[in-house]
Amino acid sequence: MSYRENALIIKTSCLAEGIYEMWLKTDKMAGEAVPGQFISVYSNDGSRLLPRPISLCEIDRENGRLRIVYRVTGEATGTEEFSHYQAGDAIELLGPLGNGFPLERAKGKRVFLIGGGIGIPPMVQLAKELDDKAVAIMGYRNADTFLDRELSEHATLYVATEDGSLGTKGNVIDCIRENDLKADVLFACGPTPMLRALKAYAKEAGIECWISMEERMACGIGACLACVCKSTEVDEHSQVKNKRVCKEGPVFLADD
Ligand code: FAD
Ligand code: FES
């Protein structure tokens, strides 16, 4: 079930260059959300009609709070507008949306949580719910990292940076190889080239691979087909080999 709610912004801050967080007080959403789901965030500027999809970074069900972490994509964009919001402001949300990660696939297994860039935020709630059992491998551009403190509190954390200023120099797969890490199942979110490379790596290593996809979205609720991607199976809704990332996803088994 998803809701359209007016949420109250409780806290905002800048976590790294161009990366911001927002804690939101909601009525119903936080109580029902699961890791890997996202919310659609509406702009207060009437010229921006479409909401912006942002993953849930943390879910505080007890206190009805959600945390989102986002990158400002440029000047005069929706995310730039959000970065000026302050505690006490109201914001309109739709959510929770999408399917979330299949936590049951991790039971009794060795788990990798893999995040790249702005794909890192959903890994925080996942790490919390897996309760110290996962190995988290996070890829950043450089040592200006974010969410590494939270991840290291709830998982065993390894870091890769493109410029080698922290952890392994290179990407998340270089980091796995350098540290000789092993897993049975992996959950990943990040840029498409990283997800493609992880799919190939997981196949070779015999690891079950779940990826969270990012597609441009409009309605966010499965009605407009703006977000379809090709799949191996016929989709129940459209009867073709397509899946709606906002509805059937954003998390898919990589082989699908
Ligand atoms: P503009 O370029 O001005 O946006 C123009 C339009 O294109 C808007 O409707 C916008 O929503 C859409 N759009 C642009 N880029 C994207 C994109 N990459 N994905 C989807 N729609 C896009 N970003 C984060 O920083 N943190 C997150 O946790 C996060 N989670 C996401 C989860 C999902 C399921 C998806 C699909 C995207 C996620 N994104 C996340 C990307 C985020 O939605 C875009 O960066 C944001 O919509 C850009 O909006 P803008 O107004 O700043 O940019
Ligand atoms: Fe409209 Fe997915 S964004 S169907």
Side-chain angles (χ1 to χ4, degrees), residues 211-234:
I211 55 175
S212 180
M213 310 259 299
E214 213 181 81
E215 263 312 318
R216 288 205 167 229
M217 289 184 181
C219 71
I221 52 167
C224 72
L225 305 186
C227 66
V228 289
C229 64
K230 290 205 180 310
S231 63
T232 51
E233 287 171 4
V234 172

Side-chain angles (χ1 to χ4, degrees), residues 38 50-55 69-71 73 77-79 118 121 213-217 250:
F38 64 98
L50 293 176
R52 274 49 178 167
I54 306 284
S55 302
V69 171
Y70 59 95
R71 171 172 283 145
T73 58
T77 59
T79 46
I118 208 59
M213 310 259 299
E214 213 181 81
E215 263 312 318
R216 288 205 167 229
M217 289 184 181

Side-chain angles (χ1 to χ4, degrees), residues 67-143:
R67 185 189 194 191
I68 55 172
V69 171
Y70 59 95
R71 171 172 283 145
V72 170
T73 58
E75 279 174 35
T77 59
T79 46
E80 199 250 356
E81 181 196 326
F82 300 156
S83 71
H84 299 294
Y85 291 178
Q86 303 287 330
D89 291 344
I91 191 167
E92 198 176 349
L93 311 176
L94 177 67
L97 300 171
N99 57 353
F101 286 101
L103 279 171
E104 68 284 359
R105 301 300 307 166
K107 257 197 194 131
K109 308 237 179 86
R110 296 170 299 171
V111 185
F112 281 164
L113 303 183
I114 303 184
I118 208 59
I120 291 171
M123 295 300 145
V124 174
Q125 184 64 27
L126 203 46
K128 282 170 76 175
E129 300 208 10
L130 289 171
D131 200 17
D132 290 341
K133 290 191 197 80
V135 171
I137 304 128
M138 299 295 135
Y140 297 91
R141 288 178 183 162
N142 53 41

